[in-house]
């Protein structure tokens, strides 16, 4: 157990602590030897937890009972390169043999998912992707299928790479560029909120660019469905440095965590580091919870005002708490943004990734592409629908975008 906790340890609280620890361990910079358990006292919730997080959980009963026989399978793709890694598996650049279209295929290991009892999280990602097929800045799911050992999500390939990759190379973005990305991310988040989905895991690595330089938000593994209006929830997993203080403290939280996340990402775009940064992870977590926000000069008053409002520790006073996206849209930092034009992708992106073709990997971090592709990936394994409802084929597959077609 973490500490001699005075308050009763409920299932939800224990789960929150384990999730927090798992999230920290996933962070490469924090080795498994770090004695975080001994130092986590300041994260202890102020009150006992009583929310039954099952209330907002995924309900399998509304998924189809009979697994549809997908006409698309593992063997229909050539798996070319690793383009991303995560806790459950890897993302590959793959070519659909039938028509030469490039996709990002997220491959998840069933045993890892089942051993971590995070099945719900994967099904959440799947369901969120199914639910959100029609937003210009959210990644699209084309197919999903499964073998005995793995789950496959076939997504649009965002060949412009991670925003984080570009930010790392350029250190900071100028305000017009940061504004453009922040506005596109904000519209995607507002759209998810309108479907009662909290994204929860906003960080630069999850913000990708397409070939034309528009944002593609990906990775819905940590989304929370069913968070309606101002209702709250308490379970969490995620990268700590972008998490809102109420999440770190396992207090109740709601969709306003995403506006904090946007503030953290905007801060990193403008200053080159996340807010409350400290090289010592634990110090940074303490800073997020207790330290006043210090914004150095060098960015406009409008940008600083927006950051202060988004990074407000009191979620009830945070920008977006009352009218969600609409409140952000009327902030002076975004006064030059024509939101309809933005959604219609009519505003020219501030940066166009240099690409030689649809399968170009030059914007993908070599850290990923250097990882060898396992031979077994495309092998026709025995079919095993141990995740009912997972198999999916996007309707109207004839409308493939020309941009992703390899010929
Ligand atoms: N990394 C994770 N998901 C991706 C996607 N859809 N396209 C490109 N890179 C990715």
């Amino acid at each position: 157990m973490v500490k001699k906790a005075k308050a009763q340890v409920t299932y939800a609280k224990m789960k929150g602590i384990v999730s927090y620890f798992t999230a920290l361990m996933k962070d490469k910079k924090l080795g498994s030897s770090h004695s975080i358990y001994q130092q986590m006292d300041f994260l202890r919730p102020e009150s006992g937890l009583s929310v039954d997080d099952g209330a907002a959980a995924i309900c399998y009963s509304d998924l189809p009972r009979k697994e549809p026989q997908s006409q698309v399978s593992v063997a229909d793709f050539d798996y070319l390169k690793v383009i991303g890694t995560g806790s459950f598996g890897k993302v590959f650049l793959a070519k659909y043999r039938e028509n030469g279209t490039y996709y990002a295929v997220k491959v998840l290991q069933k045993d890892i998912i089942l051993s971590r009892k995070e099945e719900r999280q994967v099904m959440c990602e799947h369901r969120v992707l199914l639910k959100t097929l029609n937003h210009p800045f959210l990644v699209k799911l084309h197919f999903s299928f499964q073998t005995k050992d793995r789950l496959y999500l076939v997504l649009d390939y965002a060949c412009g790479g991670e925003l984080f990759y570009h930010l790392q190379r350029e250190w900071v973005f100028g305000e017009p560029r940061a504004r453009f990305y922040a506005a596109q991310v904000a519209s995607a988040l507002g759209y998810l909120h309108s479907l009662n989905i909290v994204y929860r895991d906003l960080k630069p690595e999850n913000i990708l660019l397409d070939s034309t330089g528009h944002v593609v938000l990906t990775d819905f593994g940590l989304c929370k469905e069913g968070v309606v209006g101002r209702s709250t929830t308490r379970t969490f997993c995620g990268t700590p440095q972008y998490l809102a203080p109420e999440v770190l403290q396992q207090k109740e939280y709601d969709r306003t965590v995403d506006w904090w996340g946007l503030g953290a990402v905007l801060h990193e775009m403008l200053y080159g580091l996340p807010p409350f940064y400290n090289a010592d992870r634990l110090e940074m977590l303490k800073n997020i919870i207790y330290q006043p926000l210090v914004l150095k000069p060098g960015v406009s008053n409008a940008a600083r005002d927006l950051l202060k409002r988004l990074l407000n520790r009191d979620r009830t006073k945070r920008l977006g708490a009352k009218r969600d996206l609409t409140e952000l849209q009327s902030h002076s930092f975004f006064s030059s943004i024509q939101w309809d034009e933005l959604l219609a992708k009519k505003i020219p992106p501030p940066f166009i990734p240099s690409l030689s073709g649809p399968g170009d990997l030059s914007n993908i971090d070599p850290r990923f592409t250097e990882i060898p592709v396992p031979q077994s990936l495309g092998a026709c394994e025995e079919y095993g629908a141990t995740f009912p409802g997972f198999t999916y084929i996007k309707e109207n597959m004839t409308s493939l975008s020309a941009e992703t077609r390899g010929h």
Side-chain angles (χ1 to χ4, degrees):
M1 206 19 248
V2 177
K3 270 267 173 191
K4 281 176 267 163
K6 288 181 198 102
Q8 200 191 351
V9 180
T10 62
Y11 168 69
K13 188 193 269 183
M14 190 66 198
K15 195 171 165 220
I17 293 164
V18 171
S19 308
Y20 169 78
F21 189 64
T22 311
L24 276 177
M25 298 292 281
K26 276 184 217 160
D27 194 311
K28 291 177 204 71
K29 288 180 192 147
L30 181 66
S32 54
S33 61
H34 200 96
S35 57
I36 202 89
Y37 266 164
Q38 290 149 30
Q39 301 167 59
M40 271 179 30
D41 206 26
F42 72 97
L43 288 171
R44 210 143 38 81
E46 281 156 18
S47 59
L49 295 177
S50 55
V51 171
D52 176 14
D53 60 77
I58 297 156
C59 171
Y60 285 96
S61 56
D62 59 350
L63 292 167
R65 292 213 167 246
K66 190 173 181 295
E67 193 71 3
Q69 289 302 304
S70 173
Q71 291 134 18
V72 181
S73 78
V74 269
D76 294 322
F77 295 86
D78 288 322
Y79 299 86
L80 307 171
K81 283 282 177 190
V82 176
I83 55 171
T85 58
S87 52
F88 297 124
K90 296 187 178 69
V91 186
F92 297 86
L93 172 66
K95 199 171 181 180
Y96 188 33
R97 290 187 176 155
E98 195 177 287
N99 58 14
T101 306
Y102 290 95
Y103 291 104
V105 181
K106 187 165 181 175
V107 181
L108 309 160
Q109 292 281 134
K110 282 185 185 176
D111 55 352
I112 300 178
I113 296 158
L114 291 168
S115 70
R116 292 192 198 171
K117 296 192 175 68
E118 278 163 333
E119 189 176 343
R120 288 196 316 178
Q121 197 166 302
V122 171
M123 293 309 285
C124 177
E125 170 159 25
H126 185 245
R127 281 173 47 116
V128 167
L129 283 163
L130 286 179
K131 244 182 169 178
T132 57
L133 290 177
N134 277 324
H135 193 276
F137 310 130
L138 293 177
V139 77
K140 284 179 183 53
L141 176 71
H142 291 271
F143 315 100
S144 56
F145 40 82
Q146 53 187 305
T147 62
K148 189 162 58 66
D149 300 324
R150 298 180 180 113
L151 298 173
Y152 293 71
L153 290 164
V154 182
L155 309 163
D156 279 336
Y157 171 48
C159 53
E162 292 177 2
L163 190 65
F164 190 52
Y165 181 58
H166 298 287
L167 188 57
Q168 266 180 333
R169 295 206 292 187
E170 296 179 42
W171 179 240
V172 289
F173 293 152
E175 283 192 32
R177 186 166 173 190
R179 178 172 21 254
F180 179 85
Y181 298 140
Q184 293 201 334
V185 171
S187 348
L189 293 174
Y191 175 76
L192 287 172
H193 294 173
S194 75
L195 298 173
N196 302 320
I197 296 164
V198 181
Y199 184 78
R200 297 206 295 181
D201 194 30
L202 192 65
K203 53 188 173 186
E205 296 94 307
N206 289 348
I207 306 169
L208 307 175
L209 297 181
D210 69 14
S211 63
T212 54
H214 291 282
V215 159
V216 181
L217 204 56
T218 185
D219 214 334
F220 297 90
L222 297 174
C223 279
K224 190 84 181 172
E225 288 182 287
V227 182
V228 182
R230 298 198 195 152
S231 72
T232 56
T233 183
R234 271 177 166 158
T235 53
F236 111 88
C237 296
T239 311
Q241 67 260 44
Y242 302 98
L243 287 171
E246 64 269 25
V247 184
L248 291 171
Q249 290 176 294
Q250 300 171 49
K251 291 181 181 171
E252 288 196 347
Y253 66 85
D254 57 16
R255 57 188 156 76
T256 59
V257 292
D258 287 338
W259 301 131
W260 174 284
L262 182 68
V265 167
L266 179 61
H267 186 285
E268 185 152 352
M269 287 196 277
L270 295 172
Y271 288 103
L273 289 169
F276 310 103
Y277 182 78
N278 190 300
D280 180 329
R281 249 348 114 93
L282 204 67
E283 284 305 312
M284 184 157 74
L285 295 181
K286 285 183 192 168
N287 292 348
I288 295 171
I289 296 167
Y290 300 116
Q291 284 302 309
L293 179 68
V294 179
L295 295 173
K296 295 204 177 91
V299 305
S300 68
N301 288 340
R304 286 170 16 165
D305 184 77
L306 179 61
L307 287 173
K308 271 189 224 146
R309 288 174 195 275
L310 292 173
L311 297 170
N312 189 331
R313 269 193 200 104
D314 182 348
R315 66 178 167 87
T316 64
K317 299 203 176 95
R318 197 172 292 156
L319 192 69
K322 293 185 181 70
R323 289 176 296 115
D324 210 56
L325 174 65
T326 324
E327 271 182 71
L328 277 82
Q329 286 174 321
S330 41
H331 190 276
S332 60
F333 180 70
F334 291 121
S335 59
S336 61
I337 298 284
Q338 299 293 321
W339 292 89
D340 292 346
E341 303 261 293
L342 187 86
L343 264 188
K345 294 189 175 175
K346 285 190 180 151
I347 300 181
F351 162 82
I352 299 163
S354 57
L355 294 161
S356 59
D360 190 313
L361 285 157
S362 55
N363 292 292
I364 309 294
D365 197 326
R367 211 159 43 91
F368 299 133
T369 52
E370 280 160 8
I371 303 170
V373 177
Q375 288 295 309
S376 62
L377 211 61
C380 245
E381 294 171 63
E382 191 189 316
Y383 171 79
T386 47
F387 280 70
F390 192 82
T391 306
Y392 164 74
I393 315 153
K394 192 173 192 280
E395 276 172 40
N396 194 10
M397 280 309 297
T398 48
S399 63
L400 293 170
S401 69
E403 115 173 15
T404 54
R405 218 167 284 158
H407 53 223

